[in-house]
Amino acid sequence: MNFLPVIQIASITGIWGISFVVFLFAGATAALLSGAGKPRQRCALAIAVGIVICAVFVFGEWRLQSNPSTEPVAVTLIAKDVPMSVYLGSEEQALELLREYADEVRRVTPSGTQIVVLAEKIGRVSQNKLGEVDALFSSAASATHAAINLGVVRRTPSGAFNSSRLYSANGKLEANYDKHHLVAGVEPEKTGDKRVTLDQSSGGWGLQICKDMDFPLLSREYASDGANLLLVPAWDFNLDRWLHARMAVLRAVENGFALARSARNGLLTVSDNRGRILVKVATVADRFVSVSGKVNVAREKTFYARTGDWFACFCVAMFGVLVASQLSERLRRT
């Protein structure tokens, strides 16, 4: 993930192309060192594999240089690591933490910020207190002249939902998104089934939450919806902070959108549609951490976003052809 020229192939093949290229070199080296085949065959293999790997590098470098420049979006990310007892505590504790977040938004958001992304599941709030939360963050959005993306659990009579709520810069509640992919055995909430993309002057802003970005199909659907910036409240587990942040970054490379991800117990990251990490900071216990930056949100509908997992299907089909040819050869010999 840190070697950007290689991961650009994901914009054509998805993650499957990265795995293929990594193992192609190892597999070809093993075949060459095995001594199998005639010298001419081994030479042809080395040349063919060399051409493929060089082509991947050339494409990757070309794509990194070809990103069109557009007016950037100014983003601020804010999160605070708190003990689990606070999250599982009383509703008043949740409201107090949400008030702290609103105050922090007012305190640290730079002038000119267009969107503030907060962490996932900051607190659990009942339906009759949700209006108070909305008023709190609507006021903060109006005061800072920046949209705010809030992660909160909505407890309704029909069940609880892990939600991402977006307040516009003028204080209006613009959208509510409910998480599609919950962590089994950990999240008792109900799953959502609707995508949310908001039309902005910079393009489409899409909403996802944490584990949603582990699933390529949902991000491809957002790409089809025209999203060029994904806003992602998240909650990681400290040990997986690098891994889980980079999984989300790869979805952005695959589908051609920028990413603003704010993870408690994790990393606050802003990345562009080439996978460049533009700003990054790790959260710490019991105090707020924030970071601000600008990201180019030029829209690019990638080949992978249009075609899906074609390369994986191609590899399976080729494997079937090779197995069939080997079986056919053995039958002829017998």
Side-chain angles (χ1 to χ4, degrees):
M1 285 301 302
N2 286 337
F3 190 42
L4 296 182
V6 166
I7 68 170
Q8 302 309 310
I9 195 66
S11 65
I12 297 176
T13 65
I15 194 172
W16 317 107
I18 299 173
S19 299
F20 181 86
V21 169
V22 170
F23 288 109
L24 176 64
F25 178 81
T29 301
L32 292 171
L33 294 177
S34 71
K38 298 177 181 179
R40 181 181 298 177
Q41 293 173 317
R42 292 198 295 273
C43 182
L45 174 64
I47 291 172
V49 170
I51 290 172
V52 170
I53 293 176
C54 287
V56 169
F57 288 164
V58 170
F59 170 76
E61 288 292 346
W62 169 81
R63 190 166 188 267
L64 287 170
Q65 299 300 322
S66 67
N67 194 15
S69 179
T70 63
E71 183 178 349
V73 173
V75 181
T76 294
L77 311 177
I78 303 172
K80 179 182 181 181
D81 293 349
V82 298
M84 183 62 72
S85 59
V86 174
Y87 172 70
L88 297 176
S90 66
E91 187 169 58
E92 186 51 46
Q93 283 180 293
L95 291 171
E96 180 58 32
L97 181 58
L98 286 162
R99 293 185 196 104
E100 291 178 14
Y101 264 92
D103 290 342
E104 188 71 5
V105 169
R106 288 185 173 90
R107 189 179 72 84
V108 305
T109 302
S111 176
T113 296
Q114 292 162 268
I115 178 67
V116 179
V117 184
L118 308 180
E120 178 188 7
K121 282 187 167 183
I122 293 172
R124 300 181 300 162
V125 182
S126 61
Q127 189 70 24
N128 62 346
K129 292 291 186 180
L130 192 58
E132 181 179 337
V133 173
D134 289 339
L136 189 65
F137 286 93
S138 292
S139 174
S142 296
T144 57
H145 306 290
I148 298 176
N149 184 209
L150 167 70
V152 67
V153 175
R154 298 185 300 117
R155 298 163 66 185
T156 72
S158 61
F161 296 87
N162 183 348
S163 300
S164 170
R165 296 170 76 78
L166 191 136
Y167 308 87
S168 67
N170 61 13
K172 179 184 177 183
L173 174 63
E174 290 284 353
N176 181 90
Y177 167 84
D178 296 324
K179 189 176 184 179
H180 286 205
H181 298 283
L182 301 169
V183 182
V186 176
E187 294 187 286
E189 291 84 24
K190 290 189 172 184
T191 59
D193 59 3
K194 292 181 174 60
R195 301 186 300 278
V196 174
T197 304
L198 300 161
D199 290 329
Q200 303 290 322
S201 59
S202 59
W205 293 2
L207 304 183
Q208 289 196 51
I209 300 175
C210 199
K211 191 172 177 63
D212 284 337
M213 298 209 73
D214 294 1
F215 297 84
L217 176 58
L218 182 58
S219 287
R220 288 206 308 273
E221 291 172 338
Y222 267 102
S224 296
D225 294 339
N228 60 358
L229 173 63
L230 262 286
L231 310 175
V232 185
W235 185 356
D236 292 334
F237 299 98
N238 286 319
L239 289 175
D240 69 338
R241 61 176 60 198
W242 184 92
L243 170 68
H244 212 200
R246 292 309 195 277
M247 290 170 70
V249 169
L250 187 60
R251 297 289 89 79
V253 176
E254 289 172 347
N255 297 288
F257 50 67
L259 175 70
R261 184 176 186 271
S262 183
R264 58 194 288 194
N265 297 114
L267 297 176
L268 310 181
T269 55
V270 176
S271 61
D272 66 9
N273 60 14
R274 268 44 176 176
R276 299 181 185 93
I277 307 299
L278 306 176
V279 295
K280 179 184 73 172
V281 67
T283 58
V284 296
D286 296 324
R287 70 176 177 86
F288 282 103
V289 173
S290 63
V291 67
S292 298
K294 293 183 177 181
V295 59
N296 182 5
V297 294
R299 180 73 191 110
E300 178 190 14
K301 194 167 185 179
T302 65
F303 186 80
Y304 176 73
R306 293 194 299 268
T307 59
D309 294 323
W310 69 272
F311 188 73
C313 296
F314 172 76
C315 289
V316 171
M318 289 302 298
F319 177 74
V321 169
L322 290 171
V323 170
S325 66
Q326 289 293 313
L327 291 175
S328 176
E329 181 66 23
R330 290 187 181 184
L331 288 174
R332 281 199 300 270
R333 291 177 180 176
T334 58

